[in-house]
Amino acid sequence: MPDLKHAKLISILFFALALLTACWFRFSQLGLKPFHHDEGVNAHFLMPLMKQGSVAYKYNPLNYHGPTLYYITWTAVKLFGETDFALRFWQCAFGVLLVVLLWWFRDHLGDVGLPVAAFAIAVSPALVFFSRYFIHEMMFGFCSLAMAVAAWRYARSKHFGWMILLSVSTAWLFATKETALITAFTMLFALLLASLWDVSRKLIQEKRWTPAALITTLRSDWAEVRPSMDHALSGFIIFVFVFVFFYSSAFTNWPGVADAFKSIAHWTEERSGNDHVHARRYYLGILFKYDLPLLIGGLLAGLLIVWRGTRFWLFVGAWTFGLTLAYSLIPYKTPWLMVSFLVPLCLVCGYAAEQIYQLLARLPLRILWLGLLGVALLGAWRLCAEVNFDKYADNGNSAGYFREYLKGKGYIPYLDGQYGFVYAQTDKDFHNFVQTLQRTADSYPEQKATGIYLASNEYWPLPWYMRNYSGVAFTGSLPAKLDEASVTQPLMIAKTDQRDAIEEAGGWRMVDRPFVMRPGVELLIYQREKK
């Protein structure tokens, strides 16, 4: 802050404002966006828990990631009921809690860095977009930051409470997604690099660098921060308990623990060559298009960290760069994987804001710098609102910084939609389809038991919206002969490429019109004609 008497108080007030902003962006109009295909699949795995409790859910390594998402969402369903809001609630909450965790890094961030990092998380179009999704990513990002907070605070205080948080958040991370291995390895490697760089830099400045001096200093540093034996053993026991609890379905499915390790090999093979392969520049392209202030802040922070960063910031910088590099090198890429490195990227942006502020000795220059930060915040705020409340189903990903200028220049990524967060998103029209289907089905006397024949082979996330109808046949195809013997249900859902076959068979009347489900997929509702 400029040389103000109450700079710290102003910093805290802006931090609180960022926290409120994070809440508003994540929880406002949460049902606006139809469920994505992946959200529908996750809801399918949640349903046994919702209906029958923990005994009904068994982890399967061939399914989609770890079990924590379903257990934590189960608590929201118990509280809010079977609603879209309940399923997305915890991911929104974890997105807000990311801001809360920054409070324990306030000494490192400084009076300027703390609110800047908080607003970076609060209005990042990417972090908001994936906070409003019923998928694993935001919980995963929260756990990784909680690990960093707990480890750093424990090293300074040796308070066992931080060891508990470290153990629980690490176990939770590993019980959420198989990519926990990438995060854990990168964070450990980043800590090693930070220690080597920091110690070497000090020894060089003191003109006493030798391999022996380096090793001796590192040993001395480790002796100061290492946990006591009882804390380490207790932390390990807590880790194992939480890990086993989730994978064993609350101690009712012991093979699930072994399956947790089998899943690593499965996902390595599964992701080696499919439709989600993108160029190495893929994530940088999305950052440039939607989170440009974070990209610029990260580049500035990298220079400042190498030059004058403390060991803490050397660690965060290496963590950020390491994860960005790792995910860029892996051929399999989806936009939500960015969450893993966007979280530490917001931290280093706060560091850059604070350090540049401190380097500017004159008050007018400091005020100018704060003004530039404000302009960047307003730009991110505007784009975040546009992406999440207006173009949330825009599979063309037409929003972005400098879009009109770059479109005029024929810049391909702004024209073909490859760079963006909207990824085979269910169209806005799907809400109209669901309302029409429910209205038609409920017109029958048996209502919730109404028979519905689902002939379309593409129907996710429809099972979530049809969960209360007991008479649904998810066949995914038309029978060889379309008559009352093969299709006894009074309603049928089909794709547009099945329309000719249905109408040639006769006896069916299309309800309303074709409805867009997602790009290239339109659904039709047919009602059996009364004789």
Side-chain angles (χ1 to χ4, degrees):
M1 300 288 158
D3 299 326
L4 299 174
K5 182 179 180 181
H6 303 294
K8 191 167 293 295
L9 176 60
I10 294 173
S11 175
I12 293 172
L13 290 175
F14 273 97
F15 174 77
L17 180 60
L19 188 58
L20 292 174
T21 300
C23 291
W24 183 81
F25 267 116
R26 284 153 178 82
F27 285 102
S28 179
Q29 305 179 64
L30 196 52
L32 186 66
K33 179 169 56 180
F35 266 34
H36 184 270
H37 171 283
D38 290 349
E39 290 183 283
V41 173
N42 287 331
H44 173 70
F45 293 133
L46 173 67
M47 285 182 190
L49 270 173
M50 288 166 42
K51 304 298 184 183
Q52 303 172 52
S54 62
V55 178
Y57 173 80
K58 288 179 171 44
Y59 172 71
N60 184 345
L62 301 182
N63 287 336
Y64 298 81
H65 311 309
T68 55
L69 178 69
Y70 313 116
Y71 280 95
I72 191 68
T73 306
W74 185 25
T75 65
V77 171
K78 291 293 184 181
L79 186 61
F80 302 112
E82 295 182 13
T83 63
D84 294 6
F85 177 86
L87 268 59
R88 288 169 169 166
F89 170 81
W90 274 112
Q91 303 318 303
C92 294
F94 284 123
V96 173
L97 289 172
L98 283 173
V99 179
V100 175
L101 284 176
L102 296 181
W103 180 254
W104 285 277
F105 282 153
R106 61 189 182 279
D107 293 341
H108 295 286
L109 285 164
D111 292 340
V112 173
L114 176 63
V116 167
F119 271 112
I121 291 175
V123 302
S124 162
L127 291 179
V128 172
F129 194 86
F130 297 119
S131 291
R132 296 166 63 87
Y133 248 55
F134 176 48
I135 57 175
H136 300 70
E137 242 59 41
M138 199 51 56
M139 181 165 52
F140 190 86
F142 169 81
C143 288
S144 64
L145 185 58
M147 286 168 58
V149 169
W152 208 264
R153 300 292 290 192
Y154 178 82
R156 293 178 61 181
S157 67
K158 296 296 190 296
H159 193 285
F160 185 61
W162 293 113
M163 176 59 73
I164 294 175
L165 177 60
L166 175 60
S167 300
V168 171
S169 57
T170 305
W172 203 298
L173 186 86
F174 275 85
T176 298
K177 281 194 73 176
E178 299 73 20
T179 48
L181 279 173
I182 300 175
T183 294
F185 176 79
T186 302
M187 293 177 79
L188 288 173
F189 193 61
L191 184 60
L192 175 61
L193 285 179
S195 300
L196 286 171
W197 182 270
D198 187 43
V199 170
S200 296
R201 184 173 54 185
K202 290 177 182 177
L203 291 175
I204 291 172
Q205 290 174 350
E206 296 170 2
K207 297 182 180 180
R208 61 184 187 90
W209 190 97
T210 63
L214 177 63
I215 293 173
T216 300
T217 307
L218 287 173
R219 284 178 175 174
S220 177
D221 289 352
W222 168 243
E224 291 181 8
V225 300
R226 69 185 179 191
S228 61
M229 185 60 68
D230 59 332
H231 281 192
L233 182 59
S234 299
F236 178 73
I237 292 172
I238 293 170
F239 170 88
V240 172
F241 177 85
V242 174
F243 183 87
V244 170
F245 174 86
F246 282 117
Y247 279 108
S248 68
S249 300
F251 312 118
T252 62
N253 175 40
W254 291 103
V257 179
D259 287 340
F261 297 95
K262 295 177 184 177
S263 66
I264 298 171
H266 165 67
W267 286 106
T268 301
E269 296 171 1
E270 186 74 13
R271 302 312 193 189
S272 58
N274 55 34
D275 296 336
H276 303 290
V277 173
H278 294 281
R280 292 178 179 176
R281 64 179 181 275
Y282 178 69
Y283 293 124
L284 291 179
I286 297 178
L287 278 173
F288 180 85
K289 189 173 180 180
Y290 286 99
D291 269 308
L292 185 59
L294 295 187
L295 179 60
I296 295 173
L299 293 173
L300 290 173
L303 297 173
L304 291 166
I305 287 171
V306 171
W307 171 34
R308 56 185 286 167
T310 62
R311 188 174 305 189
F312 172 82
W313 286 112
L314 287 166
F315 160 71
V316 178
W319 171 23
T320 308
F321 178 77
L323 278 182
T324 306
L325 180 63
Y327 281 110
S328 296
L329 292 176
I330 296 171
Y332 176 86
K333 296 178 178 69
T334 56
W336 46 86
L337 290 173
M338 296 177 64
V339 171
S340 290
F341 59 80
L342 281 174
V343 172
L345 181 59
C346 291
L347 275 175
V348 299
C349 285
Y351 169 81
E354 175 70 26
Q355 292 303 306
I356 292 175
Y357 175 82
Q358 296 297 335
L359 288 170
L360 298 173
R362 300 182 62 183
L363 182 59
L365 292 177
R366 289 186 168 186
I367 293 176
L368 177 61
W369 175 240
L370 293 178
L372 289 174
L373 293 176
V375 170
L377 166 64
L378 291 175
W381 187 306
R382 180 201 60 79
L383 186 56
C384 184
E386 180 180 8
V387 170
N388 287 283
F389 300 128
D390 181 24
K391 296 187 175 181
Y392 53 86
D394 174 21
N395 284 283
N397 288 298
S398 59
Y401 287 98
F402 308 118
R403 61 189 176 199
E404 296 304 323
Y405 173 77
L406 292 172
K407 279 182 182 179
K409 295 293 183 181
Y411 188 53
I412 298 300
Y414 278 78
L415 304 177
D416 64 9
Q418 64 175 304
Y419 294 124
F421 316 131
V422 185
Y423 201 78
Q425 172 61 41
T426 308
D427 194 85
K428 296 178 181 181
D429 196 31
F430 188 71
H431 277 320
N432 297 322
F433 168 81
V434 170
Q435 291 170 6
T436 302
L437 176 64
Q438 291 176 345
R439 185 171 59 251
T440 306
D442 292 347
S443 67
Y444 285 81
E446 57 269 35
Q447 293 185 342
K448 297 304 180 183
T450 299
I452 303 173
Y453 187 93
L454 210 157
S456 172
N457 63 342
E458 295 193 55
Y459 49 77
W460 296 103
L462 196 52
W464 166 250
Y465 293 97
M466 301 174 69
R467 63 191 180 278
N468 293 322
Y469 293 90
S470 59
V472 182
F474 289 91
T475 62
S477 63
L478 286 172
K481 185 178 181 181
L482 188 56
D483 56 23
E484 291 190 32
S486 57
V487 179
T488 59
Q489 294 82 358
L491 296 178
M492 180 164 53
I493 298 172
K495 288 174 61 176
T496 50
D497 59 7
Q498 297 170 317
R499 182 173 184 173
D500 290 345
I502 296 171
E503 296 185 355
E504 284 177 10
W508 295 91
R509 177 181 63 84
M510 187 171 70
V511 179
D512 205 327
R513 59 177 175 83
F515 297 89
V516 178
M517 184 179 186
R518 54 178 161 265
V521 179
E522 291 188 348
L523 297 181
L524 309 171
I525 302 172
Y526 278 94
Q527 188 173 22
R528 189 182 299 279
E529 292 181 340
K530 296 180 180 180
K531 296 182 180 180

